[in-house]
């Protein structure tokens, strides 16, 4: 789920083909901020191509009923059939088959490795974990070594001290026990303090629910808010497919609002109003507004004034504001700054009685990218005690999230402070290194800005192959280069526009090769399908 | 979720009041196997008391609508309201309040600590983790120390070797990366090999889905099988409330079949048939049969012949067999043995084309009890490729389960083998110690067999307090003794019978005090409410 910053914000992008101005093959990099006008954070987000919703091609037609088998695609929950999750969909399955082929028959394909740019998963691509975090986790996994002399030589004093602090926050120091359903209280205290320090407004540890990554928290809120297809959730287009998948699984209606590519994927309240009214006119009860800030896959960072308008809109219209804020640490332009929606609402004077607000956070993003640890939380404010009791009950059914993920969430929200660190501090070095490398990787993306419109001939060829044009392009790209990207249709796009989404996380030394492979492929693809 | 063995199987029990023969207060322990006839494994499961479904009291009446708040209990998903999860319900909330009171005002209550016997959570009660497991986890969390000299002094050679093996199974040795949606392939290979060694029949790593504990796996199958309340799932009564909660959340119908307390909570196929036919006559499409073996909360262990009948029944009736086998390692009587349903089905000659079978396993149980690590898996066999693709898609939406839990699941299914361990082996010592202690704890339970019927006066007092009698008893017990047990209604019971469920996991030296507190409480309760 990690996505990358491009220019301003994150390093994943929805690349646009047919509105771009410059050639991918342009020998000199186009000027920064050219394409998207005044919005530097999103200036690098527009690039390549590709097409319409894949629903017709991805919902494979069910096979005939099999009487000897009690479970068929016809007899399962149709909501499961409707759900799509493109970042692990058809293209990724093809990539896995090609990877096996490469292993079995090295040299049999035109490339020697698969490069996964489909999902933000930096440690799978060689990014090393932050030592401080891993030392603390290891010590909490096996606390009996904390007292041993050898440990002083193997682990930093900072990590040993933090591990003791954390163990003292855990009842009985039992890192192998189920915790409180919302997570260990002491860790929630730490996280609440981190939120307070970030926002300058109070945070209550009892508002925090620790979860296995952000995904289960999103599901929990969808489960709470959606009773039937008459319940609608306003979602940005493009969106991260967790939202469309979760709404589908819970049987609700996704009410799309379109981000404006022309203004750097801007979020216009007028568009929200228009879509809300249209949904209401169809009898849909709109329950919540999803805002992803910093954006995924677009990378935009909302301006504070825009956020205030959104808060006002939710308050006026009685919508729960579901704020996906998992990229809060992935902003690399000095002009842009992350403001949590809670901070914005509180600074407007709105408290618990004015707005139902949920903020999602994850340990998978930021400079650390600890995707495999599955840590995260949601902070819920503005819900009545009766409703909170119901949320608590749903959280209880899975008992608790994993304790290592809980510990990591507390570390992420309360990293070591420079002035109390022992020196030399490996933590500061690593954190600064990552925050130096990540925006540098981003720079490479600018080479790709501005690609010509996908030719009619390619669209026709895709139709002939009964494939959506964006999937057609991505499949050709993978077969030719080993680079895995995701068709834009999985994220949603304005009908008639085609995109793909690419996360640029491989190690820095591999990026020139990726760029070169993509460039060569695109050239030959366009040569083949030129109108 | 850990539950304890009593006599034969697990150490949690549904204690029965009104069918028991001997007094709790009997000065000499009653003979083993007295109460439940010929079934030694369940002989210790009948004991105390308490009542009817709590639905009327636990479903609190909704408050009046609050116009300033977009989310009220009236406006949320009614399936969430219907869901109950008793092991973390009202009694546990009361216990948490009492614990805070004890902390704020020591000495203010008639006891000085809360003893949580509501849920199997052994490490919260002082059970130490198995060193080998924790060493391997710590080394995998922080692999850079594997090469350092001090590590040899801190960690056993066995753990270092296993950590290397595991890291070599993980692509890029990246324990912080999202894995394959089903879990890391190499770890699934290890688990499949462990299943093969256990069963003597092949297991396919591609049939295994690693999950954050067993709960998400159960939810995944319910999500797949349940489209509406017309889809029914056959569930034992008593059952573990995960099943009733998950069926409620997914909007299906729980079709109860009653375990026969008289025969040691036996599972009769005639009862299954009766309930299946009754459900079908009401127009319900029964999709699956849940069997919990070893039983929770009953502790019964199914005989192999009984399992063959169940397999035959599922095959004939076209039901998916959902086999909760998380207590497979918690059997402490030599006459009883765990047989996986897959082994039973394969030994009958039934393969993938004959039966849809799902086996659930968890790292939270067994001699290790690693509840907080949230590791587990399901092994699915007999599903068509099209349906498997749908299951894979649902698993993908949450990306993957946490990697530490995945590693632990591989360790549990492939513990060190005695002949290759370096000596002296702490692992063997600890495993043997736990397998020695656990059944000894169980022994204490036998003191409690045989309790007189709950007096009418107590039932009337409960009615007057608008409380179900089992909840009434459990609440009085908690207020008087600090011991937390769960009313039987959360697990289901034959109407007119009252139970509570108690897990006996505190450290051994505390058990006499618990027994004495319970005995004294029961005596004074009965004195107060004698008819």
């Amino acid at each position: 789920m990690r996505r990358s910053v491009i220019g301003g914000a994150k390093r994943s992008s929805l690349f646009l083909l047919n509105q771009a101005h410059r050639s991918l093959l342009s020998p000199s990099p186009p000027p920064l901020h050219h394409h998207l006008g005044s919005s530097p954070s999103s200036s690098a987000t527009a690039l390549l191509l590709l097409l319409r919703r894949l629903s017709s091609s991805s919902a494979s037609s069910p096979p005939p009923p099999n009487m000897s088998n009690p479970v068929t695609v016809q007899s399962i929950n149709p909501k499961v059939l409707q759900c799509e999750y493109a970042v692990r969909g058809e293209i990724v399955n093809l990539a896995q088959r090609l990877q096996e082929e490469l292993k079995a028959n090295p040299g049999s394909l035109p490339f020697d490795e698969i490069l996964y740019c489909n999902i933000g998963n930096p440690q799978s691509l060689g990014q090393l974990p932050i030592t401080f975090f891993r030392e603390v986790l290891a010590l909490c996994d096996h606390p009996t070594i904390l007292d041993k002399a050898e440990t002083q030589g193997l682990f930093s004093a900072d990590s040993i001290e933090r591990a003791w602090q954390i163990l003292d926050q855990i009842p009985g120091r039992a890192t192998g026990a189920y915790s409180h359903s919302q997570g260990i209280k002491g860790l929630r205290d730490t996280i609440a303090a981190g939120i307070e320090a970030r926002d300058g407004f109070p945070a209550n540890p009892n508002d925090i629910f620790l979860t296995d990554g952000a995904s289960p928290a999103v599901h929990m809120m969808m489960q709470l808010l959606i009773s039937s297809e008459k319940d609608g959730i306003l979602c940005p287009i493009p969106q991260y497919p967790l939202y469309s998948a979760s709404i589908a699984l819970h049987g609700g209606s996704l009410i799309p609002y379109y981000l404006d590519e022309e203004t750097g994927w801007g979020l216009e309240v007028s568009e929200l109003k228009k879509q809300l009214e249209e949904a209401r006119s169809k009898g849909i009860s709109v329950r919540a507004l999803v805002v992803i800030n910093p954006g995924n896959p677009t990378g935009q960072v909302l301006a504070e004034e825009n956020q205030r308008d959104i808060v006002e809109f939710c308050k006026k219209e009685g919508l729960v504001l579901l704020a996906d804020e998992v990229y809060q640490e992935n902003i690399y332009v000095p002009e842009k700054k992350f403001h949590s929606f809670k901070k914005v609402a509180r600074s407007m004077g709105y408290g618990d009685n004015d707005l139902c607000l949920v903020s999602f956070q994850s340990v998978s993003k930021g400079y650390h990218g600890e995707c495999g640890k599955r840590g995260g939380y949601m902070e819920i404010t503005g819900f009545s005690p009766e409703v909170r009791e119901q949320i608590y009950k749903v959280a209880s059914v899975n008992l608790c999230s994993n304790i290592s993920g809980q510990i990591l969430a507390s570390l992420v929200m309360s990293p070591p402070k420079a002035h109390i660190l022992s020196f030399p501090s490996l933590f500061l070095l690593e954190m600064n290194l990552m925050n130096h490398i990540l925006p540098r990787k981003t720079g490479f993306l600018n080479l790709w800005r501005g690609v010509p419109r996908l030719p009619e001939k390619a669209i026709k060829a895709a139709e002939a192959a009964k494939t959506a044009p964006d999937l057609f392009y991505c499949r050709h790209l993978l077969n030719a280069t080993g680079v895995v990207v995701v068709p834009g249709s999985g994220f949603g796009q304005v009908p008639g526009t085609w995109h793909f989404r690419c996360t640029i996380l491989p190690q820095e030394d591999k990026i020139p090769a990726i760029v070169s492979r993509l460039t060569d492929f695109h050239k030959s693809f366009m040569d083949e399908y030129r109108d």
Side-chain angles (χ1 to χ4, degrees), chain A:
Chain A
M1 276 215 299
R2 174 184 260 262
R3 293 138 285 182
S4 55
V5 172
I6 298 165
K10 300 189 306 76
R11 287 174 303 135
S12 92
S13 277
L14 205 64
F15 294 127
L16 176 69
L17 175 65
N18 57 359
Q19 298 186 359
H21 310 305
R22 284 172 178 269
S23 167
L24 174 67
L25 309 174
S26 161
S28 61
L32 204 64
H33 311 159
H34 170 85
H35 174 61
L36 292 160
S38 61
S39 169
S41 78
S42 46
S43 66
T45 56
L47 265 208
L48 265 187
L49 71 96
L50 311 182
L51 126 91
R52 194 171 294 133
R53 296 210 60 83
L54 287 180
S55 49
S56 57
S57 69
S58 65
S60 57
S61 66
N66 174 355
M67 294 314 291
S68 77
N69 197 316
V71 188
T72 64
V73 284
Q74 290 88 345
S75 72
I76 67 170
N77 181 358
K79 298 185 190 102
V80 168
L81 283 179
Q82 280 150 22
C83 158
E84 284 181 40
Y85 197 63
V87 294
R88 291 227 164 162
E90 179 178 339
I91 289 283
V92 180
N93 291 339
L94 172 60
Q96 283 165 355
R97 288 199 300 277
L98 293 177
Q99 191 156 30
E100 281 162 27
E101 173 65 22
L102 273 180
K103 201 172 164 188
N105 301 304
S108 62
L109 298 175
F111 44 85
D112 56 12
E113 67 176 327
I114 301 288
L115 285 165
Y116 286 96
C117 299
N118 59 307
I119 193 161
N121 195 8
Q123 294 194 29
S124 77
L125 298 168
Q127 181 178 314
L128 291 174
I130 301 290
T131 302
F132 173 76
F133 291 169
R134 292 307 190 92
E135 285 187 344
V136 174
L137 287 183
L139 292 168
C140 291
D141 269 345
H142 191 40
T144 54
I145 63 172
L146 272 166
D147 285 325
K148 300 210 175 143
E150 294 96 330
T151 303
Q152 310 288 331
L154 274 182
F155 294 84
S156 75
D158 298 319
S159 302
I160 293 172
E161 191 189 335
R162 182 64 77 99
W164 277 121
Q165 282 173 15
I166 288 173
L167 289 167
D168 285 341
Q169 290 174 318
I170 300 177
R173 295 184 178 163
T175 55
Y178 294 127
S179 72
H180 184 284
S181 301
Q182 290 183 233
I184 291 161
K185 172 63 163 56
L187 300 178
R188 286 186 279 128
D189 290 341
T190 305
I191 291 168
I195 295 171
E196 279 187 22
R198 180 194 69 194
D199 291 347
F201 289 95
N204 184 343
N206 295 327
D207 292 343
I208 293 167
F209 286 69
L210 285 156
T211 48
D212 293 308
S215 307
V218 170
H219 289 308
M220 231 185 288
M221 292 313 300
M222 295 301 175
Q223 188 155 49
L224 186 84
L225 295 172
I226 297 172
S227 304
S228 75
E229 72 284 354
K230 288 285 174 199
D231 289 313
I233 309 287
L234 272 163
C235 265
I237 297 295
Q239 49 102 35
Y240 188 67
L242 168 63
Y243 294 96
S244 50
S246 189
I247 293 167
L249 283 174
H250 291 99
S253 293
L254 188 153
I255 312 299
Y257 66 89
Y258 290 91
L259 301 177
D260 183 9
E261 193 161 3
E262 290 296 322
T263 61
W265 303 107
L267 195 170
E268 298 296 331
V269 171
S270 57
E271 166 74 2
L272 295 178
K273 278 185 188 148
K274 182 185 130 196
Q275 299 294 350
L276 175 73
E277 275 158 27
E278 194 176 319
R280 283 182 176 161
S281 74
K282 292 176 184 160
I284 288 173
S285 162
V286 181
R287 310 299 311 271
L289 168 68
V290 173
V291 178
I292 311 177
N293 179 49
N296 179 13
T298 61
Q300 106 277 28
V301 182
L302 296 179
E304 202 175 349
E305 195 185 326
N306 197 191
Q307 290 184 270
R308 281 195 293 268
D309 292 344
I310 292 165
V311 166
E312 206 64 75
F313 172 76
C314 287
K315 178 173 156 51
K316 178 166 172 263
E317 302 292 351
L319 302 179
V320 178
L321 177 50
L322 300 173
D324 181 331
E325 300 183 326
V326 302
Y327 282 104
Q328 57 190 263
E329 289 176 87
N330 296 80
I331 300 176
Y332 301 107
V333 281
E335 316 88 276
K336 292 277 176 176
K337 194 173 169 338
F338 168 75
H339 304 282
S340 79
F341 269 104
K342 181 154 155 264
K343 174 186 168 184
V344 171
R346 295 295 176 268
S347 68
M348 294 166 74
Y350 291 148
D352 252 345
N353 294 327
D354 302 298
L355 183 72
C356 288
L357 172 61
V358 184
S359 167
F360 302 105
Q361 168 67 313
S362 167
V363 305
S364 305
K365 320 301 165 194
Y367 55 90
H368 33 81
E370 289 281 14
C371 304
K373 296 296 172 188
R374 313 308 289 122
Y377 70 80
M378 61 176 181
E379 183 192 15
I380 64 166
T381 52
F383 293 88
S384 69
E386 295 79 13
V387 172
R388 292 174 65 105
E389 200 180 294
Q390 298 298 322
I391 299 172
Y392 175 82
K393 187 176 67 180
V394 172
S396 294
V397 175
N398 284 335
L399 294 161
C400 67
S401 62
N402 84 88
I403 305 297
S404 294
Q406 293 190 24
I407 291 171
L408 203 43
S410 82
L411 295 176
V412 162
M413 294 308 287
S414 172
K417 286 175 186 64
H419 66 279
I420 59 154
L421 282 175
S422 39
F423 289 90
S425 166
L426 187 58
F427 173 75
L428 287 182
L429 183 71
E430 288 178 337
M431 185 180 67
N432 289 336
L433 188 69
M434 282 316 303
N435 280 333
H436 175 70
I437 287 175
L438 293 179
R440 272 170 56 84
K441 287 188 183 178
T442 305
F444 284 96
L445 282 174
N446 291 324
L447 289 174
W448 302 358
R449 282 175 55 229
V451 183
R453 191 178 284 269
L454 194 65
E456 264 311 304
K457 195 173 160 191
I459 294 173
K460 290 237 163 70
E463 276 168 10
K466 293 186 178 158
T467 300
D470 55 356
L471 178 60
F472 183 80
Y473 183 95
C474 293
R475 200 193 284 148
H476 274 68
L477 173 66
L478 173 56
N479 279 318
T481 65
V483 177
V484 187
V485 300
V486 185
S489 49
F491 295 76
Q493 47 202 349
V494 172
T497 70
W498 334 122
H499 304 75
F500 70 76
R501 188 253 202 168
C502 181
T503 57
I504 307 294
L505 288 160
Q507 288 308 81
E508 225 175 337
D509 57 0
K510 288 193 176 168
I511 292 180
I514 297 177
V515 172
S516 144
R517 285 198 221 174
L518 280 166
T519 308
D520 291 348
F521 164 77
H522 188 72
K523 186 169 181 305
S524 70
F525 183 90
M526 296 301 279
D527 282 348
E528 185 173 351
Y529 293 104
R530 203 174 303 284
D531 288 326

